[in-house]
Amino acid sequence: MKPGSVVAGRYEVVRQLGAGGAGELLLVRDRRRENEPCALKVLRSRAQDAPLEDLFRGEFLLLTDLAHENIVGVRDFGVVEDGAPYFTMDFVPGENCRSFVREDRLATGDYLDLAAGLLAALAHVHARGVLHRDIKPENVIMRRGDGRLTPVLVDFGLAVTAGARRAGEAAGTLPYIAPEVLSGGGADERADLFALGMVLYEVATGRHVAERKELLRSPDTVLARDRVRKTLRRHARGAVPRRLEEFVAGLTAPTPVDRYASAVDALRDLGAIFGEDFGEAALVKRARRRLGDLPFVGRQGALEALMQRVEALAEARLLDSVVVVAGPEGIGVTRLLATLRNQASVMGGLVCGGSSLKELAADVLSHPATAAEHRDVGDDPAELVFRIDAALFPLSQEHAPVLVLDDVHALAEADCAALRDWIAALERREGRARLLLVLGGRKDGDGPGSALLRTAGGAVPLDLRDLAPLKRGDVRAALAALLGEPRVPAEVVQALHRASDGNPRLLREVLQLLVTEGVLDLEGERPSLDEEALGRVKLPRGVAEA
């Protein structure tokens, strides 16, 4: 795509960042966000096939659950005018690590930032049961700012979750593929650590550990600890501490059992080598970041009901419908609606959303399918609703639009009146549209938005306006996912359920308290919870006390 062209009626192309046989990566300006730069990854239309599109959609969905400062963040998913799928990501200004390998521009402090940042990213990814499988210098962007270097891991196109790992599948790039994977064995977290060790060796020396042929023919010899230590010392382009030689050799050992068991173990050792604090305080800080989003539990039934509504709409088994998703503060409405938007988007539908009527209108009018002549939106609620309806109604039989409006409780009276009139008009209209409107927010407020949530509803009811608190089984599932241990003591589950009243936001805050107090350890080789210490921590008695 040429500079100056506009993708999906919203993203203006600045330049190409990279390209491959299946697609390209573009630097674009988001017109909806004051021309904020972002990266747009798009499949080439001629390369489209079902397996490739599935991988592409899977990469987006996987990244939505991996928010971390050392991992590229994703934003939106959609399709361009010719039907090719795309998604947008945060733009990370900087060069990829390959240029630093070539030019020897890393000081000792930079090397520490690189290694520690990538280990922190892997600890985060692995804790969620994901393998990256393609760690190499080209997939690490080096961003400088605030006097430090921050490595950002990108390109999760080959990443897999625990349930999708298969033996005999040697995904990745030589020479960063672990020997056990090349020989047809299964991969685990230590395969990613091997690849990272190979990158760190290259950055320190400017060369590979060995030639590709040697790695394939005799990995046990060329990756032996003594050999890696000696060659790193001989070829290093600066002073390398002796313990750093041992550290890299501990990542690149030819057999998994001889490598570091986890990214967290490696991170602790790295801190000891450089005299940096990767101890309790730093681990608590990272653990608190891991609790930014709890595992998606207790809402699968609601999500499935919503997705069934989306599928029925797409298959013309349902006409216009209004669904309300509501509950008290912190109950998880926004997380549920964000997950709905992501999943409905990757199905290929026309999905738009926002947290205000103006945001919703802007998203609808900038969508390539609407072909709106005037994409700028004003502030008059009645006009906004009119333009949304005018843009979508002609498309409703072909595209079955899904509209998601969150934070309805915060809408002004005029916005609510316009929405109420539109919902009534949809129900009266002859030749009804295939359209799903999902309204989300808190229904327990005094404002007009909460009143709308209490009364709105479609002709075919799906009532999620009383999103229930998490059950004890949901709390157990969240803890089991965090700890990697399916057997969580009933007394612990009961204590946390009672303290949080099953409110996801409060549960997260309670867990953060336990991390700070040293009761919950999420960063050890095996995350753990100290049941005895739990009894000494004063927990809130539900939402009211909190």
Side-chain angles (χ1 to χ4, degrees):
M1 296 183 183
K2 296 181 179 179
S5 59
V6 178
V7 180
R10 173 177 177 180
Y11 302 102
E12 181 182 349
V13 177
V14 178
R15 60 184 171 88
Q16 188 182 76
L17 296 172
E24 59 183 328
L25 185 67
L26 306 168
L27 173 61
V28 298
R29 296 191 185 98
D30 187 349
R31 291 179 169 181
R32 288 256 319 277
R33 297 181 179 175
E34 299 180 343
N35 288 323
E36 181 181 14
C38 62
L40 186 145
K41 186 174 184 177
V42 60
L43 285 183
R44 296 186 192 276
S45 56
R46 69 171 186 270
Q48 289 178 47
D49 58 65
L52 188 60
E53 285 200 23
D54 288 344
L55 286 173
F56 192 79
R57 297 171 194 276
E59 180 183 1
F60 171 76
L61 287 175
L62 187 148
L63 280 168
T64 61
D65 194 39
L66 292 179
H68 189 279
E69 67 173 342
N70 297 110
I71 298 173
V72 66
V74 292
R75 300 184 177 189
D76 301 297
F77 187 98
V79 293
V80 298
E81 285 77 358
D82 65 359
Y86 74 85
F87 64 81
T88 55
M89 302 171 283
D90 296 336
F91 171 62
V92 184
E95 302 171 87
N96 71 40
C97 190
R98 176 63 65 194
S99 62
F100 288 79
V101 171
R102 294 193 191 103
E103 301 174 25
D104 186 21
R105 287 186 284 149
L106 282 186
T108 300
D110 293 335
Y111 194 89
L112 171 63
D113 288 339
L114 171 65
L118 291 179
L119 283 169
L122 286 182
H124 183 77
V125 168
H126 294 165
R128 282 158 170 74
V130 173
L131 298 183
H132 186 279
R133 301 204 303 173
D134 199 20
I135 294 170
K136 57 185 178 182
E138 289 79 4
N139 286 342
V140 178
I141 305 298
M142 315 283 265
R143 179 178 62 202
R144 288 194 181 276
D146 299 325
R148 61 187 288 259
L149 182 144
T150 301
V152 179
L153 190 58
V154 301
D155 198 344
F156 280 70
L158 295 180
V160 292
T161 57
R165 302 175 192 176
R166 296 191 300 270
E169 184 180 39
T173 305
L174 281 172
Y176 311 99
I177 305 175
E180 69 272 15
V181 179
L182 284 172
S183 63
D188 63 13
E189 290 79 1
R190 292 169 295 184
D192 277 348
L193 294 179
F194 174 87
L196 173 58
M198 298 293 272
V199 170
L200 294 178
Y201 185 99
E202 274 190 72
V203 172
T205 64
R207 62 179 68 196
H208 295 310
V209 170
E211 295 295 327
R212 287 175 170 80
K213 290 182 179 179
E214 293 179 291
L215 287 168
L216 291 170
R217 186 171 55 244
S218 52
D220 289 348
T221 300
V222 298
L223 294 172
R225 280 180 178 262
D226 285 345
R227 182 183 183 280
V228 171
R229 285 196 299 264
K230 290 175 182 178
T231 57
L232 178 56
R233 187 181 313 145
R234 183 184 314 128
H235 299 301
R237 299 181 290 191
V240 177
R242 286 292 179 95
R243 288 191 63 192
L244 183 60
E245 299 164 6
E246 181 64 33
F247 172 77
V248 173
L251 292 169
T252 61
T255 57
V257 71
D258 292 325
R259 292 179 211 139
Y260 284 101
S262 69
V264 172
D265 284 351
L267 192 61
R268 284 199 178 99
D269 211 7
L270 183 69
I273 293 168
F274 284 97
E276 292 287 337
D277 178 20
F278 290 137
E280 184 177 351
L283 293 176
V284 164
K285 182 179 178 181
R286 279 191 297 278
R288 290 175 69 91
R289 277 206 307 268
R290 277 184 57 186
L291 289 169
D293 275 325
L294 289 174
F296 189 75
V297 297
R299 300 290 176 253
Q300 291 88 346
L303 178 61
E304 183 179 351
L306 288 166
M307 287 303 297
Q308 287 175 352
R309 184 64 55 103
V310 172
E311 292 165 7
L313 194 76
E315 296 168 3
R317 293 184 285 110
L318 180 72
L319 296 177
D320 57 87
S321 178
V322 179
V323 174
V324 173
V325 182
E329 184 176 1
I331 204 66
V333 171
T334 295
R335 174 84 179 275
L336 174 60
L337 296 189
T339 306
L340 170 67
R341 284 188 66 180
N342 289 335
Q343 294 203 6
S345 293
V346 300
M347 283 179 60
L350 196 170
V351 183
C352 300
S355 55
S356 71
L357 198 53
K358 186 171 183 177
E359 283 186 12
L360 177 62
D363 204 20
V364 169
L365 297 176
S366 65
H367 196 284
T370 64
E373 294 183 6
H374 304 289
R375 298 179 185 272
D376 295 333
V377 298
D379 296 305
D380 179 66
E383 177 66 17
L384 293 175
V385 166
F386 173 80
R387 295 191 64 190
I388 291 172
D389 185 77
L392 294 181
F393 184 73
L395 305 172
S396 62
Q397 296 304 316
E398 179 183 356
H399 291 280
V402 177
L403 305 182
V404 181
L405 181 59
D406 196 10
D407 291 341
V408 172
H409 59 272
L411 295 182
E413 175 61 50
D415 294 312
C416 294
L419 270 176
R420 194 177 289 108
D421 290 345
W422 184 40
I423 292 170
L426 288 174
E427 295 177 350
R428 293 193 305 265
R429 176 184 285 159
E430 293 184 10
R432 290 171 61 187
R434 288 166 57 203
L435 180 146
L436 176 62
L437 174 61
V438 182
L439 305 176
R442 302 200 306 267
K443 67 163 192 172
D444 53 357
D446 297 327
S450 293
L452 177 61
L453 290 172
R454 290 193 291 267
T455 58
V460 183
L462 171 59
D463 197 345
L464 298 172
R465 73 184 77 236
D466 288 306
L467 208 58
L470 300 179
K471 300 177 181 178
R472 287 186 186 180
D474 302 324
V475 174
R476 179 183 294 107
L479 284 173
L482 288 171
L483 300 175
E485 171 56 62
R487 296 180 297 276
V488 181
E491 301 79 18
V492 172
V493 173
Q494 182 177 355
L496 296 181
H497 187 263
R498 182 172 58 245
S500 65
D501 272 344
N503 183 289
R505 183 183 301 173
L506 182 53
L507 176 60
R508 183 175 67 241
E509 292 173 0
V510 170
L511 290 173
Q512 287 174 340
L513 170 65
L514 297 184
V515 168
T516 303
E517 296 292 331
V519 176
L520 178 62
D521 175 14
L522 295 178
E523 296 297 335
E525 181 178 343
R526 283 186 64 95
S528 61
L529 189 144
D530 188 333
E531 295 178 53
E532 183 179 345
L534 176 62
R536 297 193 292 269
V537 178
K538 187 180 186 310
L539 298 176
R541 296 179 181 175
V543 172
E545 182 175 315

